[in-house]
Amino acid sequence: RIFAMALLLLAAIGLAPVLGHLRGPAGNISFCARVTNVELRCSREACRVVAGGMRERSCDSYCGEAALACSGAWAAEAATCGGEREVACSERSTSETHMCECAEKPAQTATEPPSEPPTEPPTEPPTQPPTEPPTQPPTQPPTEPPRRIATATTTTTTAAERCELHEDVQKVCSVDGCRVLVDDMKHKSCKEYCGEQGLACSGAWDEKDDGCEVKRRLTCATESHSDDVMCECSAAGAPPALGGCDLHGDVEEVCSADGCRVLVDGMKHKSCKEYCAGQGLACAGAWEEEDDDCEVKRELSCSSRSSSDDVICECKAPGA
């Protein structure tokens, strides 16, 4: 009988921690009842729990939801009270379960609030107000504000009045609103688009990824093969951005800053001399392109008839 009682005593001692986990927080840890998603309670002396739904969450945020502070955190791959390793309260969990220990936030001491107001406010307010307000307000308002307000107003008005493009504009690409990304431009040129708005074309570009980033430069007269084109318009009569050349007719890409050297499509059995003459200009140079771009593979003569569709031609004014 003594042996049987000893076995019962040992069993009770062994089951006590487990029963403690199942019963929940003991003693006066009443605040522990506020935490949620508890899969397992791991301590009777502190509010330490294995919490579920913790992926990408930290113990700081978990305890904070219950108006508590985190006092410990452990990685818990499974719903057990044996944390694999101790981690920081702010570390986000990589698994669904995480062991957190929450505690009541420390109450603010009654000594700090009274100590600061008596020391700082009496010293600083009496010294600064008498010296600075009398000197600075009289000097600055009469001189600076009038100039700054006038300048800002003038700049804003000028920029806003330069362009007011509206048809099919997807995105404004410049501060003055004159360069825009335009939609529904297939088989249409920037010259036509700007003309419809009572303006002149000063630049055209093929856009990249439906944004304001330039992929390649076009002429104002180039008809687009895609829906989106970047156009820059200016007041009618303003000098064109491409200088003396405004080439058109199957232009794939503009290869020079003045717009006189271009990559032309549909040039099989045709020479650059013929192409430039069709624009009322003379040929200044011809090249075979490398890979449908402005990179030169080899030089040709102006009268050479191309064996491929794409050729780089440079035109100039007759007699230049």
Side-chain angles (χ1 to χ4, degrees), residues 149-173:
I149 292 166
T151 308
T153 308
T154 308
T155 305
T156 307
T157 306
T158 308
E161 287 178 348
R162 284 195 61 184
C163 295
E164 193 177 337
L165 306 174
H166 47 84
E167 281 191 28
D168 299 317
V169 172
Q170 278 190 293
K171 193 176 288 188
V172 178
C173 301

Side-chain angles (χ1 to χ4, degrees), residues 8 26 39 49 60 64 68 138 212 237 239 297 302:
L8 286 172
E39 292 197 7
V49 297
D60 268 341
L68 299 172
C212 290
K297 185 176 181 181
C302 281

Side-chain angles (χ1 to χ4, degrees), residues 144-292:
E144 295 260 351
R147 290 182 191 170
R148 284 183 188 170
I149 292 166
T151 308
T153 308
T154 308
T155 305
T156 307
T157 306
T158 308
E161 287 178 348
R162 284 195 61 184
C163 295
E164 193 177 337
L165 306 174
H166 47 84
E167 281 191 28
D168 299 317
V169 172
Q170 278 190 293
K171 193 176 288 188
V172 178
C173 301
S174 64
V175 176
D176 58 7
C178 294
R179 182 181 295 190
V180 291
L181 179 65
V182 192
D183 191 17
D184 200 20
M185 286 290 289
K186 201 161 191 176
H187 307 304
K188 190 174 178 182
S189 69
C190 285
K191 188 174 183 179
E192 292 174 280
Y193 173 77
C194 294
E196 290 170 358
Q197 321 256 350
L199 299 169
C201 173
S202 56
W205 299 268
D206 194 2
E207 49 74 39
K208 189 175 181 181
D209 296 329
D210 293 335
C212 290
E213 189 177 349
V214 173
K215 184 178 181 181
R216 58 178 181 160
R217 192 171 188 178
L218 308 172
T219 68
C220 282
T222 303
E223 291 187 358
S224 173
H225 298 296
S226 65
D227 284 330
D228 302 325
V229 178
M230 202 187 310
C231 297
E232 184 170 86
C233 303
S234 59
L242 298 178
C245 297
D246 189 10
L247 303 175
H248 51 86
D250 298 320
V251 172
E252 284 193 53
E253 189 170 350
V254 178
C255 301
S256 64
D258 59 4
C260 294
R261 182 182 294 192
V262 291
L263 176 66
V264 192
D265 191 20
M267 288 291 289
K268 199 162 190 175
H269 307 306
K270 191 175 177 182
S271 69
C272 285
K273 185 176 181 180
E274 292 172 296
Y275 171 75
C276 293
Q279 317 269 336
L281 300 169
C283 175
W287 299 267
E288 186 179 338
E289 47 75 39
E290 181 68 38
D291 187 20
D292 291 338

Side-chain angles (χ1 to χ4, degrees), residues 10-71:
L10 288 172
I13 293 170
L15 287 172
V18 177
L19 292 173
H21 298 327
L22 296 175
R23 280 197 306 269
N28 59 353
I29 313 178
S30 58
F31 61 81
C32 198
R34 301 205 299 262
V35 295
T36 58
N37 295 332
V38 176
E39 292 197 7
L40 191 61
R41 298 192 184 273
C42 300
S43 174
R44 301 182 67 204
E45 288 74 30
C47 186
R48 185 181 299 179
V49 297
V50 174
M54 288 293 290
R55 188 177 293 276
E56 296 299 327
R57 291 188 63 197
S58 67
C59 285
D60 268 341
S61 66
Y62 175 74
C63 295
E65 286 180 353
L68 299 172
C70 172
S71 59

